[in-house]
Amino acid sequence: MPTSTSDLKIWLADQAVALGLDAVGTCRADEAWVAADRLESFIDAGRHGQMDWMKETLARRRTPTSMWPEARSAVVVGLNYGPSTDPMLNLDHRECGNISVYARGKDYHDVLKKRLKQLARAFVAETGAEVKVFVDTAPLMEKPLAQKAGLGWQGKHTNLVSRPLGSWLFLGVMLTSADLVPDEAETDHCGSCRSCLDICPTHAFPAPYQLDARRCISYLTIEHRGPIPREFRAAMGNRIYGCDDCLAVCPWNKFSQHAQLQEVWARTALNRPGLGALSALDDPGFRALFSGSPVKRTGRDRFVRNVMIAIGNSAAPALIDPYVMDRLRDPDAVIRAAAVWALGRLDSARFADEKRRHLELETDQEVRAEWLENPVPTE
């Protein structure tokens, strides 16, 4: 058993490495912090969009002790999921879907939580302290905790940046009743760089260190319910689940490494999947393809909506038959509306030919409105 606080810190680091984790740090969990005020301002401005759960759990998110009063320290761990190639390259393959790097492998919730639970069990056995573990499943602000624990800093895109690992870190937190000596908090190393702000396709950053989720492609493709707002559709390109642009362009990625843990490596089927086959997925097919993947949480309808937008941006009229035409008859009205938009983008003459026929049969007002809009010309 570790005989001193310094020995305990060394023991924690050794245990983390043995479990395949790439970073570990500690900080106080029972202190007030500026992150709480920033979150409140974000919600007051309505920038959380449809994520009502953020507003509903605001009081519990303010500090870790709001959720667990006995918490004294936080052990924050990081798992590198660095890709083997530049994820921006997928954006050039417009007939294929681009899935965010973090969602191409096995669900990180399962991968990281398994290891964090193992670390927690060993910690309890060594110290007798109480613990609770979290991997993006509770009202806990992991990124500010990670900065306090020295793992990295929240960059101008609000995501965590690590000096040795770049942008690609999954975070997990073990709260404990034990009093641990905190690590030194990481400082900001963004300097004058604006790469992450300037690359954003939908201009989702009102200012450095501020995000308007309502404009973010990750939010739009994963959290947003209903039709994608028209102003963002063309900018989505072929991004069908999440967006990596602001992460991928960070200069600190020059130090990033390909993930060592094979469980988070991209599955071949999800690395550059064809849009046509994805648009044809029914619910069982969607569940089978994305079994064990975080993509499954969006549900088939929301996902196929995204695929239809990507097809509309593909400049590939060959995808109209049968893929777009089949989705014009989809049971889900939001998908039908997205298919109408895709048809207008790909072939305005075909759009005009189909318009009268489908309007006679369509009962959903939002889908009818899509047909009544002038088709958007192909780029």
Side-chain angles (χ1 to χ4, degrees):
M1 180 176 179
T3 56
S4 68
T5 54
S6 59
D7 288 343
L8 183 58
K9 295 288 287 294
I10 295 171
W11 178 89
L12 270 171
D14 290 343
Q15 290 291 314
V17 170
L19 290 168
L21 300 170
D22 297 283
V24 61
T26 58
C27 64
R28 298 298 303 180
D30 53 357
E31 298 172 339
W33 54 0
V34 69
D37 295 331
R38 289 201 302 263
L39 178 61
E40 187 169 4
S41 297
F42 170 79
I43 292 173
D44 286 345
R47 291 176 177 170
H48 60 300
Q50 295 177 352
M51 295 184 290
D52 296 334
W53 43 269
M54 295 191 75
K55 184 175 183 179
E56 293 165 359
T57 60
L58 175 60
R60 296 174 65 199
R61 289 177 184 275
R62 293 194 65 86
T63 65
T65 52
S66 298
M67 186 172 56
W68 185 33
E70 289 76 23
R72 294 293 173 267
S73 304
V75 178
V76 187
V77 301
L79 176 65
N80 174 36
Y81 69 99
S84 59
T85 59
D86 181 358
M88 300 289 283
L89 297 176
N90 275 9
L91 300 178
D92 296 328
H93 297 266
R94 298 172 70 179
E95 294 183 43
C96 298
N98 189 46
I99 294 173
S100 185
V101 171
Y102 84 87
R104 296 179 193 173
K106 190 174 180 181
D107 193 331
Y108 71 95
H109 297 90
D110 301 329
V111 175
L112 182 51
K113 198 163 193 175
K114 173 184 175 182
R115 287 161 174 77
L116 190 54
K117 283 184 174 180
Q118 290 177 298
L119 180 63
R121 283 194 291 269
F123 183 82
V124 171
E126 288 292 332
T127 66
E130 294 183 83
V131 299
K132 294 183 185 292
V133 299
F134 308 93
V135 181
D136 196 24
T137 54
L140 190 71
M141 291 192 281
E142 291 96 342
K143 288 181 286 187
L145 280 173
Q147 181 161 351
K148 285 185 67 176
L151 271 65
W153 71 96
Q154 283 189 264
K156 292 178 182 177
H157 52 17
T158 75
N159 292 298
L160 197 78
V161 183
S162 162
R163 281 195 286 182
L165 295 168
S167 300
W168 317 104
L169 270 184
F170 293 132
L171 298 175
V173 177
M174 179 181 77
L175 296 181
T176 176
S177 59
D179 283 302
L180 302 177
V181 176
D183 287 299
E184 184 176 351
E186 180 60 283
T187 55
D188 190 306
H189 297 281
C190 287
S192 61
C193 179
R194 290 183 48 91
S195 295
C196 61
L197 307 179
D198 295 337
I199 197 67
C200 180
T202 52
H203 309 292
F205 301 105
Y209 308 102
Q210 296 182 31
L211 170 69
D212 188 341
R214 296 167 297 184
R215 304 184 65 90
C216 174
I217 291 177
S218 286
Y219 165 82
L220 291 168
T221 55
I222 299 171
E223 302 290 350
H224 180 77
R225 302 179 298 277
I228 300 292
R230 184 175 283 270
E231 64 179 302
F232 302 127
R233 295 176 190 176
M236 284 173 58
N238 66 344
R239 302 169 185 84
I240 57 174
Y241 186 92
C243 178
D244 292 316
D245 293 24
C246 65
L247 300 179
V249 300
C250 180
W252 286 96
N253 285 332
K254 64 185 176 184
F255 299 113
S256 66
Q257 308 158 26
H258 184 212
Q260 296 187 44
L261 198 64
Q262 293 188 25
E263 289 173 271
V264 299
W265 288 5
R267 289 164 45 191
T268 302
L270 303 186
N271 199 36
R272 198 176 287 165
L275 291 173
L278 293 176
S279 74
L281 290 171
D282 57 12
D283 192 62
F286 172 80
R287 291 178 176 274
L289 177 61
F290 294 108
S291 175
S293 163
V295 177
K296 192 167 71 172
R297 69 182 287 263
T298 64
R300 177 262 178 188
D301 294 347
R302 203 178 303 180
F303 180 78
V304 175
R305 171 204 65 184
N306 301 339
V307 174
M308 280 293 106
I309 299 298
I311 287 178
N313 291 324
S314 69
L319 290 173
I320 294 175
D321 288 308
Y323 303 115
V324 175
M325 299 307 295
D326 282 350
R327 297 287 68 78
L328 290 174
R329 298 183 294 273
D330 197 272
D332 183 77
V334 173
I335 291 176
R336 295 200 303 275
V340 172
W341 185 82
L343 179 60
R345 292 272 290 180
L346 296 175
D347 190 333
S348 57
R350 182 76 175 270
F351 178 97
D353 289 342
E354 296 289 341
K355 181 175 179 178
R356 180 181 58 79
R357 180 182 309 117
H358 283 274
L359 274 176
E360 289 176 351
L361 301 173
E362 184 58 62
T363 59
D364 185 89
Q365 293 305 308
E366 289 190 353
V367 183
R368 288 181 63 84
E370 286 288 345
W371 279 111
L372 292 169
E373 291 279 353
N374 292 325
V376 182
T378 304
E379 292 177 344

